[in-house]
PDB file of all heavy atoms in Angstrom:
ATOM      1  N   ALA A  23      99.800  95.014  90.896  1.00 98.00           N
ATOM      2  CA  ALA A  23     100.801  94.243  90.152  1.00 98.00           C
ATOM      3  C   ALA A  23     102.169  94.484  90.736  1.00 98.00           C
ATOM      4  O   ALA A  23     102.594  95.643  90.877  1.00 98.00           O
ATOM      5  CB  ALA A  23     100.769  94.639  88.687  1.00 98.00           C
ATOM      6  N   ALA A  24     102.852  93.403  91.077  1.00 98.00           N
ATOM      7  CA  ALA A  24     104.221  93.487  91.574  1.00 98.00           C
ATOM      8  C   ALA A  24     105.187  93.157  90.432  1.00 98.00           C
ATOM      9  O   ALA A  24     104.963  92.205  89.675  1.00 98.00           O
ATOM     10  CB  ALA A  24     104.426  92.524  92.729  1.00 98.00           C
ATOM     11  N   SER A  25     106.253  93.945  90.337  1.00 97.00           N
ATOM     12  CA  SER A  25     107.238  93.687  89.279  1.00 97.00           C
ATOM     13  C   SER A  25     108.641  94.014  89.799  1.00 97.00           C
ATOM     14  O   SER A  25     108.782  94.656  90.824  1.00 97.00           O
ATOM     15  CB  SER A  25     106.911  94.532  88.051  1.00 97.00           C
ATOM     16  OG  SER A  25     106.991  95.912  88.354  1.00 97.00           O
ATOM     17  N   GLY A  26     109.641  93.586  89.041  1.00 97.00           N
ATOM     18  CA  GLY A  26     111.019  93.858  89.427  1.00 97.00           C
ATOM     19  C   GLY A  26     111.781  92.566  89.640  1.00 97.00           C
ATOM     20  O   GLY A  26     111.418  91.511  89.128  1.00 97.00           O
ATOM     21  N   THR A  27     112.814  92.646  90.473  1.00 96.00           N
ATOM     22  CA  THR A  27     113.713  91.512  90.700  1.00 96.00           C
ATOM     23  C   THR A  27     113.135  90.607  91.783  1.00 96.00           C
ATOM     24  O   THR A  27     113.706  90.456  92.872  1.00 96.00           O
ATOM     25  CB  THR A  27     115.106  91.997  91.089  1.00 96.00           C
ATOM     26  OG1 THR A  27     114.979  92.876  92.214  1.00 96.00           O
ATOM     27  CG2 THR A  27     115.752  92.750  89.932  1.00 96.00           C
ATOM     28  N   ILE A  28     112.008  89.959  91.462  1.00 96.00           N
ATOM     29  CA  ILE A  28     111.294  89.144  92.420  1.00 96.00           C
ATOM     30  C   ILE A  28     111.660  87.684  92.278  1.00 96.00           C
ATOM     31  O   ILE A  28     111.605  87.133  91.181  1.00 96.00           O
ATOM     32  CB  ILE A  28     109.770  89.322  92.231  1.00 96.00           C
ATOM     33  CG1 ILE A  28     109.345  90.757  92.487  1.00 96.00           C
ATOM     34  CG2 ILE A  28     108.999  88.355  93.147  1.00 96.00           C
ATOM     35  CD1 ILE A  28     107.925  91.056  92.084  1.00 96.00           C
ATOM     36  N   PHE A  29     112.034  87.055  93.399  1.00 95.00           N
ATOM     37  CA  PHE A  29     112.230  85.601  93.404  1.00 95.00           C
ATOM     38  C   PHE A  29     110.930  84.921  93.797  1.00 95.00           C
ATOM     39  O   PHE A  29     110.458  84.017  93.124  1.00 95.00           O
ATOM     40  CB  PHE A  29     113.346  85.204  94.355  1.00 95.00           C
ATOM     41  CG  PHE A  29     113.528  83.717  94.473  1.00 95.00           C
ATOM     42  CD1 PHE A  29     114.108  82.992  93.413  1.00 95.00           C
ATOM     43  CD2 PHE A  29     113.134  83.025  95.607  1.00 95.00           C
ATOM     44  CE1 PHE A  29     114.254  81.617  93.503  1.00 95.00           C
ATOM     45  CE2 PHE A  29     113.274  81.652  95.700  1.00 95.00           C
ATOM     46  CZ  PHE A  29     113.840  80.936  94.635  1.00 95.00           C
ATOM     47  N   SER A  30     110.355  85.382  94.903  1.00 95.00           N
ATOM     48  CA  SER A  30     109.046  84.860  95.323  1.00 95.00           C
ATOM     49  C   SER A  30     108.384  85.869  96.250  1.00 95.00           C
ATOM     50  O   SER A  30     109.038  86.739  96.813  1.00 95.00           O
ATOM     51  CB  SER A  30     109.181  83.507  96.034  1.00 95.00           C
ATOM     52  OG  SER A  30     109.870  83.656  97.256  1.00 95.00           O
ATOM     53  N   ILE A  31     107.066  85.739  96.353  1.00 96.00           N
ATOM     54  CA  ILE A  31     106.293  86.607  97.234  1.00 96.00           C
ATOM     55  C   ILE A  31     105.616  85.766  98.286  1.00 96.00           C
ATOM     56  O   ILE A  31     104.960  84.777  97.968  1.00 96.00           O
ATOM     57  CB  ILE A  31     105.258  87.408  96.425  1.00 96.00           C
ATOM     58  CG1 ILE A  31     105.933  88.244  95.355  1.00 96.00           C
ATOM     59  CG2 ILE A  31     104.455  88.315  97.361  1.00 96.00           C
ATOM     60  CD1 ILE A  31     104.973  89.014  94.460  1.00 96.00           C
ATOM     61  N   ASN A  32     105.766  86.190  99.529  1.00 95.00           N
ATOM     62  CA  ASN A  32     105.121  85.479 100.618  1.00 95.00           C
ATOM     63  C   ASN A  32     103.699  86.021 100.757  1.00 95.00           C
ATOM     64  O   ASN A  32     102.839  85.732  99.943  1.00 95.00           O
ATOM     65  CB  ASN A  32     105.934  85.664 101.901  1.00 95.00           C
ATOM     66  CG  ASN A  32     105.469  84.723 103.001  1.00 95.00           C
ATOM     67  OD1 ASN A  32     104.517  83.987 102.836  1.00 95.00           O
ATOM     68  ND2 ASN A  32     106.155  84.739 104.132  1.00 95.00           N
ATOM     69  N   ALA A  33     103.433  86.835 101.721  1.00 96.00           N
ATOM     70  CA  ALA A  33     102.083  87.371 101.891  1.00 96.00           C
ATOM     71  C   ALA A  33     101.865  88.603 101.002  1.00 96.00           C
ATOM     72  O   ALA A  33     102.780  89.363 100.734  1.00 96.00           O
ATOM     73  CB  ALA A  33     101.860  87.757 103.346  1.00 96.00           C
ATOM     74  N   MET A  34     100.637  88.748 100.552  1.00 98.00           N
ATOM     75  CA  MET A  34     100.199  89.966  99.849  1.00 98.00           C
ATOM     76  C   MET A  34      98.970  90.485 100.585  1.00 98.00           C
ATOM     77  O   MET A  34      98.117  89.681 100.991  1.00 98.00           O
ATOM     78  CB  MET A  34      99.875  89.671  98.392  1.00 98.00           C
ATOM     79  CG  MET A  34     101.055  89.139  97.614  1.00 98.00           C
ATOM     80  SD  MET A  34     100.756  89.009  95.826  1.00 98.00           S
ATOM     81  CE  MET A  34     101.108  90.716  95.319  1.00 98.00           C
ATOM     82  N   SER A  35      98.919  91.780 100.755  1.00 98.00           N
ATOM     83  CA  SER A  35      97.875  92.355 101.622  1.00 98.00           C
ATOM     84  C   SER A  35      97.350  93.645 101.034  1.00 98.00           C
ATOM     85  O   SER A  35      98.002  94.280 100.202  1.00 98.00           O
ATOM     86  CB  SER A  35      98.455  92.641 103.013  1.00 98.00           C
ATOM     87  OG  SER A  35      99.120  91.534 103.559  1.00 98.00           O
ATOM     88  N   TRP A  36      96.169  94.017 101.524  1.00 98.00           N
ATOM     89  CA  TRP A  36      95.591  95.339 101.260  1.00 98.00           C
ATOM     90  C   TRP A  36      95.425  96.039 102.611  1.00 98.00           C
ATOM     91  O   TRP A  36      94.882  95.460 103.556  1.00 98.00           O
ATOM     92  CB  TRP A  36      94.260  95.223 100.557  1.00 98.00           C
ATOM     93  CG  TRP A  36      94.365  94.803  99.139  1.00 98.00           C
ATOM     94  CD1 TRP A  36      94.247  93.533  98.635  1.00 98.00           C
ATOM     95  CD2 TRP A  36      94.646  95.651  98.024  1.00 98.00           C
ATOM     96  NE1 TRP A  36      94.412  93.548  97.262  1.00 98.00           N
ATOM     97  CE2 TRP A  36      94.664  94.842  96.868  1.00 98.00           C
ATOM     98  CE3 TRP A  36      94.871  97.019  97.877  1.00 98.00           C
ATOM     99  CZ2 TRP A  36      94.895  95.353  95.586  1.00 98.00           C
ATOM    100  CZ3 TRP A  36      95.115  97.528  96.616  1.00 98.00           C
ATOM    101  CH2 TRP A  36      95.118  96.689  95.492  1.00 98.00           C
ATOM    102  N   TYR A  37      95.863  97.274 102.653  1.00 98.00           N
ATOM    103  CA  TYR A  37      95.668  98.153 103.795  1.00 98.00           C
ATOM    104  C   TYR A  37      94.872  99.367 103.316  1.00 98.00           C
ATOM    105  O   TYR A  37      94.778  99.618 102.124  1.00 98.00           O
ATOM    106  CB  TYR A  37      96.996  98.646 104.355  1.00 98.00           C
ATOM    107  CG  TYR A  37      97.784  97.619 105.132  1.00 98.00           C
ATOM    108  CD1 TYR A  37      98.453  96.575 104.477  1.00 98.00           C
ATOM    109  CD2 TYR A  37      97.885  97.684 106.517  1.00 98.00           C
ATOM    110  CE1 TYR A  37      99.173  95.623 105.188  1.00 98.00           C
ATOM    111  CE2 TYR A  37      98.610  96.761 107.234  1.00 98.00           C
ATOM    112  CZ  TYR A  37      99.257  95.728 106.567  1.00 98.00           C
ATOM    113  OH  TYR A  37      99.986  94.799 107.288  1.00 98.00           O
ATOM    114  N   ARG A  38      94.326 100.103 104.262  1.00 98.00           N
ATOM    115  CA  ARG A  38      93.669 101.355 103.903  1.00 98.00           C
ATOM    116  C   ARG A  38      93.907 102.378 104.992  1.00 98.00           C
ATOM    117  O   ARG A  38      94.136 102.050 106.162  1.00 98.00           O
ATOM    118  CB  ARG A  38      92.169 101.150 103.673  1.00 98.00           C
ATOM    119  CG  ARG A  38      91.370 100.782 104.920  1.00 98.00           C
ATOM    120  CD  ARG A  38      89.908 100.494 104.544  1.00 98.00           C
ATOM    121  NE  ARG A  38      89.105 100.145 105.721  1.00 98.00           N
ATOM    122  CZ  ARG A  38      87.848  99.724 105.654  1.00 98.00           C
ATOM    123  NH1 ARG A  38      87.258  99.567 104.465  1.00 98.00           N
ATOM    124  NH2 ARG A  38      87.177  99.436 106.744  1.00 98.00           N
ATOM    125  N   GLN A  39      93.849 103.623 104.557  1.00 98.00           N
ATOM    126  CA  GLN A  39      94.035 104.734 105.496  1.00 98.00           C
ATOM    127  C   GLN A  39      93.033 105.838 105.149  1.00 98.00           C
ATOM    128  O   GLN A  39      93.084 106.410 104.061  1.00 98.00           O
ATOM    129  CB  GLN A  39      95.462 105.279 105.442  1.00 98.00           C
ATOM    130  CG  GLN A  39      95.757 106.298 106.507  1.00 98.00           C
ATOM    131  CD  GLN A  39      97.235 106.583 106.654  1.00 98.00           C
ATOM    132  OE1 GLN A  39      98.028 106.296 105.763  1.00 98.00           O
ATOM    133  NE2 GLN A  39      97.624 107.126 107.786  1.00 98.00           N
ATOM    134  N   ALA A  40      92.151 106.095 106.100  1.00 97.00           N
ATOM    135  CA  ALA A  40      91.178 107.169 105.959  1.00 97.00           C
ATOM    136  C   ALA A  40      91.769 108.450 106.540  1.00 97.00           C
ATOM    137  O   ALA A  40      92.669 108.395 107.397  1.00 97.00           O
ATOM    138  CB  ALA A  40      89.882 106.798 106.673  1.00 97.00           C
ATOM    139  N   PRO A  41      91.280 109.600 106.141  1.00 92.00           N
ATOM    140  CA  PRO A  41      91.796 110.865 106.655  1.00 92.00           C
ATOM    141  C   PRO A  41      91.729 110.913 108.185  1.00 92.00           C
ATOM    142  O   PRO A  41      90.690 110.611 108.785  1.00 92.00           O
ATOM    143  CB  PRO A  41      90.875 111.902 106.034  1.00 92.00           C
ATOM    144  CG  PRO A  41      90.375 111.270 104.787  1.00 92.00           C
ATOM    145  CD  PRO A  41      90.237 109.820 105.105  1.00 92.00           C
ATOM    146  N   GLY A  42      92.853 111.267 108.811  1.00 95.00           N
ATOM    147  CA  GLY A  42      92.890 111.393 110.245  1.00 95.00           C
ATOM    148  C   GLY A  42      92.951 110.100 111.007  1.00 95.00           C
ATOM    149  O   GLY A  42      92.901 110.085 112.247  1.00 95.00           O
ATOM    150  N   LYS A  43      93.081 108.981 110.292  1.00 97.00           N
ATOM    151  CA  LYS A  43      93.106 107.672 110.953  1.00 97.00           C
ATOM    152  C   LYS A  43      94.397 106.946 110.586  1.00 97.00           C
ATOM    153  O   LYS A  43      95.075 107.259 109.618  1.00 97.00           O
ATOM    154  CB  LYS A  43      91.904 106.821 110.530  1.00 97.00           C
ATOM    155  CG  LYS A  43      90.575 107.386 110.995  1.00 97.00           C
ATOM    156  CD  LYS A  43      89.451 106.402 110.735  1.00 97.00           C
ATOM    157  CE  LYS A  43      88.130 106.922 111.274  1.00 97.00           C
ATOM    158  NZ  LYS A  43      87.016 105.941 111.055  1.00 97.00           N
ATOM    159  N   GLN A  44      94.716 105.933 111.402  1.00 97.00           N
ATOM    160  CA  GLN A  44      95.890 105.127 111.140  1.00 97.00           C
ATOM    161  C   GLN A  44      95.625 104.129 110.006  1.00 97.00           C
ATOM    162  O   GLN A  44      94.473 103.760 109.750  1.00 97.00           O
ATOM    163  CB  GLN A  44      96.300 104.354 112.405  1.00 97.00           C
ATOM    164  CG  GLN A  44      96.870 105.223 113.504  1.00 97.00           C
ATOM    165  CD  GLN A  44      97.424 104.415 114.663  1.00 97.00           C
ATOM    166  OE1 GLN A  44      96.930 103.318 114.944  1.00 97.00           O
ATOM    167  NE2 GLN A  44      98.473 104.906 115.296  1.00 97.00           N
ATOM    168  N   ARG A  45      96.687 103.748 109.352  1.00 98.00           N
ATOM    169  CA  ARG A  45      96.568 102.741 108.320  1.00 98.00           C
ATOM    170  C   ARG A  45      96.190 101.403 108.992  1.00 98.00           C
ATOM    171  O   ARG A  45      96.726 101.046 110.029  1.00 98.00           O
ATOM    172  CB  ARG A  45      97.899 102.578 107.579  1.00 98.00           C
ATOM    173  CG  ARG A  45      97.816 101.726 106.329  1.00 98.00           C
ATOM    174  CD  ARG A  45      99.119 101.777 105.535  1.00 98.00           C
ATOM    175  NE  ARG A  45      99.419 103.119 105.039  1.00 98.00           N
ATOM    176  CZ  ARG A  45     100.383 103.394 104.192  1.00 98.00           C
ATOM    177  NH1 ARG A  45     101.160 102.422 103.718  1.00 98.00           N
ATOM    178  NH2 ARG A  45     100.611 104.639 103.792  1.00 98.00           N
ATOM    179  N   GLU A  46      95.227 100.709 108.369  1.00 98.00           N
ATOM    180  CA  GLU A  46      94.748  99.459 108.947  1.00 98.00           C
ATOM    181  C   GLU A  46      94.754  98.346 107.915  1.00 98.00           C
ATOM    182  O   GLU A  46      94.579  98.592 106.704  1.00 98.00           O
ATOM    183  CB  GLU A  46      93.326  99.622 109.488  1.00 98.00           C
ATOM    184  CG  GLU A  46      92.280  99.965 108.456  1.00 98.00           C
ATOM    185  CD  GLU A  46      90.864  99.997 109.007  1.00 98.00           C
ATOM    186  OE1 GLU A  46      90.656  99.664 110.200  1.00 98.00           O
ATOM    187  OE2 GLU A  46      89.938 100.332 108.245  1.00 98.00           O
TER     188      GLU A  46
END
Side-chain angles (χ1 to χ4, degrees):
S25 63
T27 54
I28 297 170
F29 176 73
S30 67
I31 301 177
N32 192 356
M34 300 188 83
S35 309
W36 288 96
Y37 286 74
R38 67 185 181 187
Q39 187 167 19
K43 294 188 176 181
Q44 290 188 329
R45 191 172 296 190
E46 63 174 356

